[in-house]
Amino acid sequence: MAQTDVLLTKEPAPQTVPPCELSPKVYDVACNTGAYTSSGLATTGFRTAKYLMDEWYQNLYAHYHQAFADRDHSERQRHESQHLASETEALAQRTQQDSTRRVGERLQDMHSWKSELQREVEELIADIDLLLAQKLRLERALDASAVPYSITMDSLQCRERRQHPDLVRDHVEVELLKEAELIRNIQQLLKRTIMQAVNQIRLNRQHKETCEMDWSDKVESYNIDDTCARYNNQSTQVQFHPHSTKLEESASTPETWARFTQDNLLRAERELLASANLRTLIDAILRDTSEDLRLQCDAVNLAFSRRCEELEDALHKLRCHLHKILREITDQEHQVAVLKQAIKDKEAPLRVAQTRLYQRSFRPNVELCRDTAQFRLVSEVEELHMSLDALREKLQEAEQALHNLEETRLSLEKDIAIKTNSLFIDRRKCMAHRARYPSVLQLAGYQ
């Protein structure tokens, strides 16, 4: 329905006939009662008379005014949006340039600290190599007290792993204890010195690992910041991360970040100084050795050789008995299989006989006769049961014999394994280790 209460921007056209004081003429208005009229309940509340021209003009001017107002508001909104877009674009470019510059400054700082850490790591690696060389020199020059003692104690410890009943105090163990007693006084000082070297190497490696971890973190951070510095608005790897602006509670400050690396460098320098002092001390504590160590070594080797011959002889005899037992086990297993097959072969005749008896029990009336066939079937079932009982008894006896053979086999194999282990410890572990026993010149400290 057209709006009639809108403010007009133009006066309506004047009426063609001016009003006068004449009495109004009464007209008969025809009612809309035809087939295509709006008369009836369906038109309740609607205007039935035609609109005036003034009302038509009012409605048209109202549309003109609304279109002009909407267009003007849209133009203002469009100009404001364009201005805001330009301002935000310039602000975003300035902010991005400043962020890129600060990331570049951060890259320079990280590169400087990274170079210092790399230099310190290289110095630690070189010092560790020097200390390892000094430790090796100490072991080579004084192996008369260090290397023979370690070999002797290792032999005693290896022989402790022998199993019952081979865990005996034999002539080999007596000679090993004599050798340990002979070199114990010389070993004490060298042991403390070697432990100091080992501890210093461990500390150097710990600080090297700390510096390497710090250096690795800085390299990773440097690569991340370098990648970030290369990002621009045309990069294809960028995407939205809404929660990336949140700061972690454990994040460090620039001061704590720099202090952390400084502390690592200072601790590494202290360990480098301590390592240099220890290398000087190692050069001052070298000692000579005695010829008796080599003689005792020969006595121990002779005892090992005799013990290995005894073990080999015992192993040979045990393996002969085991071979016979295994052959008997094979024959007995074959016999058990034969008995089981015989029992299985009796199952089919038993099923046939029992089925015949079952079916014959359904004969009607007087035909249910206890004839000779019936008696023979009953006796057949009894004979089959007796055969099965006898076979099962023999099978049980055979399985028990097989079980006894298996237990004997396990016992023999266990004893063989024990003696094989003892022979392996004496020959492959102890004697092989003693093959590295130092020469007389090395025991004297000349090599």
Side-chain angles (χ1 to χ4, degrees):
M1 184 176 180
Q3 298 178 358
T4 58
D5 56 350
V6 180
L7 180 63
L8 298 178
T9 58
K10 184 177 180 182
E11 294 182 359
Q15 298 180 358
T16 56
V17 181
C20 61
E21 298 298 332
L22 297 176
S23 57
K25 183 179 180 180
V26 178
Y27 296 93
D28 294 331
V29 180
C31 296
N32 296 328
T33 57
Y36 301 98
T37 63
S38 59
S39 178
L41 294 176
T43 60
T44 302
F46 289 87
R47 182 173 178 175
T48 59
K50 293 183 178 180
Y51 293 96
L52 298 178
M53 287 301 295
D54 294 342
E55 293 175 340
W56 182 82
Y57 279 114
Q58 287 179 353
N59 180 56
L60 184 62
Y61 291 146
H63 285 296
Y64 291 162
H65 177 72
Q66 186 65 33
F68 174 79
D70 291 343
R71 186 176 68 255
D72 182 67
H73 177 72
S74 178
E75 290 177 355
R76 288 197 307 271
Q77 182 67 27
R78 181 161 47 84
H79 288 303
E80 291 175 358
S81 300
Q82 292 176 355
H83 181 68
L84 179 61
S86 300
E87 288 183 352
T88 54
E89 177 67 20
L91 178 61
Q93 291 180 357
R94 290 195 303 270
T95 304
Q96 190 178 89
Q97 292 174 358
D98 185 64
S99 298
T100 304
R101 179 180 59 83
R102 292 183 181 273
V103 171
E105 295 174 355
R106 181 67 172 179
L107 287 173
Q108 294 178 358
D109 294 340
M110 281 191 291
H111 180 73
S112 176
W113 285 114
K114 183 166 63 72
S115 301
E116 290 292 329
L117 287 169
Q118 186 174 0
R119 179 186 60 80
E120 196 69 27
V121 168
E122 292 174 354
E123 291 182 359
L124 284 170
I125 292 174
D127 190 84
I128 289 172
D129 292 338
L130 291 175
L131 194 56
L132 286 172
Q134 288 293 84
K135 177 175 174 289
L136 182 60
R137 178 169 172 249
L138 178 65
E139 291 174 350
R140 286 177 177 177
L142 299 178
D143 55 2
S145 58
V147 177
Y149 183 78
S150 63
I151 290 175
T152 302
M153 297 306 296
D154 183 67
S155 297
L156 289 172
Q157 291 176 1
C158 287
R159 287 175 62 82
E160 289 296 327
R161 292 197 290 269
R162 293 176 298 169
Q163 301 176 2
H164 179 79
D166 282 8
L167 189 60
V168 296
R169 185 182 178 88
D170 52 6
H171 184 63
V172 176
E173 185 171 351
V174 173
E175 293 296 329
L176 285 172
L177 291 174
K178 288 181 180 179
E179 187 178 36
E181 182 65 24
L182 180 64
I183 64 176
R184 185 169 289 112
N185 294 331
I186 302 173
Q187 188 270 340
Q188 293 300 325
L189 177 61
L190 296 178
K191 184 177 180 181
R192 290 194 300 267
T193 306
I194 292 175
M195 289 304 298
Q196 289 178 3
V198 170
N199 290 333
Q200 187 61 50
I201 292 172
R202 179 179 55 82
L203 292 175
N204 289 350
R205 285 175 174 171
Q206 286 180 355
H207 286 85
K208 180 179 72 71
E209 291 175 359
T210 301
C211 292
E212 284 177 344
M213 290 179 62
D214 194 3
W215 177 85
S216 177
D217 292 341
K218 282 180 171 51
V219 168
E220 184 177 359
S221 180
Y222 184 90
N223 293 334
I224 292 173
D225 285 350
D226 183 65
T227 303
C228 293
R230 297 176 187 273
Y231 283 149
N232 53 50
N233 295 335
Q234 285 73 36
S235 299
T236 58
Q237 296 88 0
V238 296
Q239 57 184 345
F240 290 107
H241 298 281
H243 302 289
S244 60
T245 57
K246 183 180 179 181
L247 294 177
E248 297 291 338
E249 295 181 357
S250 59
S252 62
T253 62
E255 292 77 12
T256 58
W257 174 76
R259 191 182 306 113
F260 176 78
T261 303
Q262 289 175 353
D263 293 341
N264 289 336
L265 293 174
L266 289 175
R267 286 192 291 266
E269 289 292 340
R270 286 198 297 267
E271 294 303 327
L272 286 174
L273 180 60
S275 180
N277 295 332
L278 181 59
R279 283 187 280 112
T280 304
L281 178 63
I282 290 174
D283 291 333
I285 61 173
L286 294 174
R287 296 291 185 270
D288 295 333
T289 63
S290 174
E291 185 71 22
D292 295 337
L293 290 176
R294 188 71 239 183
L295 297 176
Q296 183 63 30
C297 174
D298 295 337
V300 173
N301 290 339
L302 180 61
F304 267 119
S305 299
R306 291 177 177 174
R307 181 59 178 169
C308 289
E309 291 177 359
E310 293 176 357
L311 290 172
E312 286 179 346
D313 183 64
L315 278 172
H316 177 71
K317 294 178 180 179
L318 288 172
R319 284 167 180 162
C320 290
H321 287 288
L322 179 62
H323 178 71
K324 296 178 182 179
I325 289 294
L326 290 175
R327 186 168 54 191
E328 182 62 26
I329 288 175
T330 302
D331 296 340
Q332 191 65 22
E333 287 178 346
H334 177 70
Q335 184 63 30
V336 169
V338 170
L339 290 174
K340 289 182 178 180
Q341 185 62 37
I343 292 173
K344 186 176 180 180
D345 292 341
K346 298 298 182 295
E347 292 178 355
L350 181 62
R351 286 196 299 268
V352 171
Q354 289 179 349
T355 303
R356 287 175 176 176
L357 287 173
Y358 177 75
Q359 293 293 337
R360 286 173 60 85
S361 65
F362 292 101
R363 290 175 296 171
N365 300 325
V366 73
E367 295 299 329
L368 188 61
C369 178
R370 290 181 291 178
D371 51 8
T372 57
Q374 183 73 12
F375 286 112
R376 183 54 187 158
L377 286 173
V378 172
S379 62
E380 181 183 2
V381 170
E382 292 177 353
E383 291 174 358
L384 288 173
H385 278 297
M386 292 175 63
S387 299
L388 286 173
D389 292 339
L391 288 173
R392 291 192 180 99
E393 184 178 357
K394 285 295 180 183
L395 177 61
Q396 185 177 3
E397 293 176 357
E399 289 177 346
Q400 182 62 38
L402 180 61
H403 178 71
N404 295 335
L405 290 173
E406 289 290 345
E407 288 183 350
T408 304
R409 178 185 65 84
L410 290 175
S411 178
L412 290 174
E413 289 178 346
K414 182 179 179 181
D415 201 6
I416 290 174
I418 290 173
K419 286 178 171 51
T420 302
N421 179 63
S422 300
L423 184 61
F424 176 80
I425 290 175
D426 287 346
R427 176 169 290 174
R428 300 298 181 183
K429 291 289 186 179
C430 298
M431 295 187 69
H433 195 190
R434 295 185 67 83
R436 298 197 295 257
Y437 208 92
S439 64
V440 175
L441 294 177
Q442 291 172 333
L443 291 173
Y446 296 110
Q447 293 181 355

